[in-house]
Each structure stands twice: as C-alpha cells, then as structure tokens.
Amino acid sequence: MEIAYIPSPSRGVYELFGVIPLRGYAFCIIIGVFVAVWLGNKRWIARGGRSGTVADVAVWAVPFGLVGGRLYHVITDYQLYFSEGQDWVDAFKIWEGGLGIWGAIAFGAVGAWIGCRSRGIPLPAWADALAPGIALAQAIGRWGNWFNQELYGRETDLPWALHITSSTDGRVPGYYHPTFLYESLWCIGVALLVIWADRRFKLGHGRAFALYVAAYCAGRFWIEAMRVDEAHHFLGMRLNEWTSIVVFLLAVLYIVLSARRRPGREEVVEPGASDGDTDDGAAVELDKKSGDEKSGDEKSGDAKSGDAKSENEKPGDKKTDDGAEDSAATKDEAGSAKKS
C-alpha cells in the first residue's frame, strides 16, 4: 500500500513561450553558482577583501569546473558514450546530466588559480571564502538529478521513497532511496559545519576548504554505497567510494600539516583593499585636507592681523612716550633745586 513517496517530475525540460527550452538540470546548476558567488562574496568582504573579487575569479573557475566535471564523468563512464551502439556525440550533451564533482573541483581549482594570480590574491584564502558556498551549490545542483530521474539508490518502501516513472536508459519504474536528496541535505550540513568551524577556530590558509572536502567525502562514501546506477568497481567497491576515501585522507592530512606550518589566518587577503581605498576613506581624507586648509587660513589671518597692528603703531607714538618721560624728569630736577 502506497502511504507516501517523493514524486518525480513528468519531464525535465520546459519550454518558455513554446520556443525557449528550460532544462531543470541546467537551471539548478546556474542557481547553485549564483548562491556560491553571493555567499563567497560576503565572506570575502568580511575577511578584508574587495566586493566583486570572488565573482571575477569565478569567471575563470566555473567554466574550468564544468569542463573538468564533464571530463571526469565521460572518462569514468566511457561505456555510456563509446561502446557499441552508443553515440559519442552524447558526451557533449551536458544538459542531460553527468558532472563528476572530483573533476569539477580539480579543474575549477586550476581556473581559480589563474583568476587569483591575475588579481594578486592567495588562492587558499579565496577557496576558504568560497567553501560553504560550493557545498550549497552542490545541494542545489543535486535537484537537477531529480528532474532527470537519475542517481537514485536501492529499492525501498520508506515514506520518503523516490518514485521513478521513466523506463528509458535501462530504468525500472519503482520506489527507490532518494540519494540525490540525501546528498543535498548532507551538503547543507557541510556548509553549516564549515561556517561554524571557521568562526570558532579562525581557519585560514585553505583549511576551511579542506574541511569542506573532508566532510563532503565522508557523506559521499556512504551515499555512493547506496546507489544502483552502473559504475566501475574495484575490490568490491565503486570507483567513487575509493575516490572519496583517498580525497578524504588527503584533505585531513592537509589540515594537520597546514595548521602546524602556518597556524592562524591570513591578515591580508587582498593587497590594497584597505579602508583608504573605500569611498568612506576618501571622504575622511577629503575632510582632513579641508581641515588642514582651514587651519592654514587661520594662521594666515593671524599673521595679517599682526601686520595690521604693527602698521597702526606710528613712529610718533614712541617719541611722545619718550618725550613725556623727559618732561617728568625735568620737573623733578627743578623741584629739587627750588627746595635747595
């Protein structure tokens, strides 16, 4: 008996005005990118950087990340595109789904490095600012898999089971674990964890980003084990499970070594982004300059007043005083002579 379940959308593509196709998968990816840049910008400003720097670097990071994510998916699932009966052109149809987070992060880091280098800012600090936003972008992007009815887990009768209705590409209609939802919720938790830890421990030099990577891998490992879609296996585990283990260990190792070698947080994340470069700083400088000019005018006015006072004292006034003193002296002498 069906009690409750998560319905799947009847289609993943909607047409605007009957002409422009709007794909749910692409729409989720775009929203995720905007959220990541918005939150990253707020965190970057709080760290002492300029507004807009995160977006400028993202112009490099996002395209590289999309290419890397697609390459990882195509390489690790090459049988979907290059085996007998498959059309290799489908490898370019990114809107149909298929982005590997491992490739997206790796190639995105290369693009971010280029962008940071052009701006003269440290890549680890930029990555720390963007880390929670990336986790939220993944949380939103996973709903694109819901639109495509893909990446679900084993069959289940739980109330939150995902109802798959499509039978294309080998799908079997039924009720399955909504692994897309599990990962979406996990990524939200990762974002909150990174924000809390960053405030509590003042993470710097890439450690906030490494914490995001480690936390994500921990969740991806158990979620990946639930999936039933086709994948390569090694020693009884899916390839992405092994990748999660390796990347998790590398992230933890980085956190430990980085904390020992470079403790604390960067004092300056963007050279030149000081208070004097802001509009408020310019106003302060203008007021200071205006005050200096006013002080100079007051000094000049005092000097002119002194000059005017000197000019009003005529030479005759001094002679009159001297003459009065001589007259007084003469009278005293005359008085003394008379008494004698």
Side-chain angles (χ1 to χ4, degrees):
M1 177 180 178
E2 296 180 2
I3 300 176
Y5 61 86
I6 300 175
S8 292
S10 58
R11 54 179 178 170
V13 183
Y14 302 87
E15 294 184 351
L16 182 63
F17 305 118
V19 179
I20 304 175
L22 298 177
R23 303 181 182 276
Y25 185 86
F27 194 59
C28 291
I29 296 296
I30 293 172
I31 294 177
V33 170
F34 275 102
V35 169
V37 172
W38 169 78
L39 180 58
N41 184 65
K42 291 178 67 67
R43 287 172 52 81
W44 183 254
I45 294 174
R47 288 285 300 274
R50 288 193 180 96
S51 176
T53 297
V54 168
D56 291 342
V57 177
V59 170
W60 287 92
V62 172
F64 272 75
L66 291 175
V67 172
R70 188 60 176 178
L71 281 176
Y72 181 89
H73 168 72
V74 172
I75 292 174
T76 55
D77 291 310
Y78 62 87
Q79 72 280 356
L80 300 177
Y81 308 99
F82 302 105
S83 60
E84 185 177 356
Q86 302 295 332
D87 188 359
W88 63 272
V89 177
D90 292 340
F92 297 95
K93 297 179 180 179
I94 191 173
W95 56 85
E96 293 183 353
L99 288 175
I101 185 60
W102 317 112
I105 294 296
F107 273 64
V110 174
W113 176 80
I114 296 174
C116 288
R117 187 176 178 83
S118 66
R119 294 295 298 263
I121 60 177
L123 174 61
W126 184 87
D128 283 343
L130 202 67
I134 296 177
L136 290 179
Q138 288 179 257
I140 297 172
R142 274 308 179 197
W143 285 87
N145 301 128
W146 176 67
F147 279 100
N148 287 352
Q149 295 197 37
E150 59 185 1
L151 304 188
Y152 46 87
R154 299 184 294 270
E155 285 189 291
T156 181
D157 57 357
L158 292 172
W160 56 84
L162 176 65
H163 187 198
I164 296 297
T165 58
S166 175
S167 58
T168 59
D169 297 330
R171 296 185 183 90
V172 178
Y175 300 89
Y176 301 88
H177 276 285
T179 52
F180 85 91
L181 178 61
Y182 297 161
E183 186 168 338
S184 178
L185 295 175
W186 182 270
C187 287
I188 293 175
V190 170
L192 296 176
L193 171 66
V194 174
I195 292 174
W196 170 82
D198 193 27
R199 292 178 178 176
R200 175 67 177 79
F201 302 105
K202 304 297 181 183
L203 302 177
H205 302 285
R207 289 188 288 277
F209 182 80
L211 176 60
Y212 143 72
V213 173
Y216 171 75
C217 290
R220 180 62 184 267
F221 177 80
W222 67 267
I223 294 173
E224 187 72 22
M226 299 180 65
R227 287 169 52 172
V228 295
D229 53 306
E230 186 176 357
H232 295 286
H233 288 73
F234 180 71
L235 296 180
M237 290 198 305
R238 294 164 65 97
L239 176 61
N240 282 332
E241 290 181 85
W242 286 108
T243 304
S244 297
I245 294 174
V246 173
V247 176
F248 172 83
L249 294 176
L250 291 175
V252 172
L253 181 63
Y254 178 87
I255 293 174
V256 174
L257 296 179
S258 175
R260 291 179 179 178
R261 297 183 60 183
R262 308 185 71 181
R265 176 185 283 179
E266 300 93 337
E267 294 183 0
V268 178
V269 297
E270 188 169 3
S274 60
D275 292 338
D277 293 334
T278 62
D279 293 339
D280 294 339
V284 170
E285 291 295 328
L286 182 60
D287 291 341
K288 183 178 179 181
K289 183 178 179 181
S290 179
D292 292 341
E293 291 177 354
K294 183 178 181 181
S295 178
D297 292 342
E298 290 177 353
K299 291 180 180 179
S300 177
D302 292 341
K304 291 180 179 179
S305 177
D307 293 342
K309 183 177 181 181
S310 298
E311 291 176 357
N312 291 332
E313 292 180 354
K314 298 180 181 178
D317 296 338
K318 185 175 182 181
K319 291 181 180 180
T320 301
D321 294 339
D322 294 341
E325 292 176 358
D326 293 342
S327 176
T330 303
K331 290 180 180 180
D332 291 340
E333 291 176 358
S336 297
K338 187 176 180 180
K339 289 179 181 179
S340 300

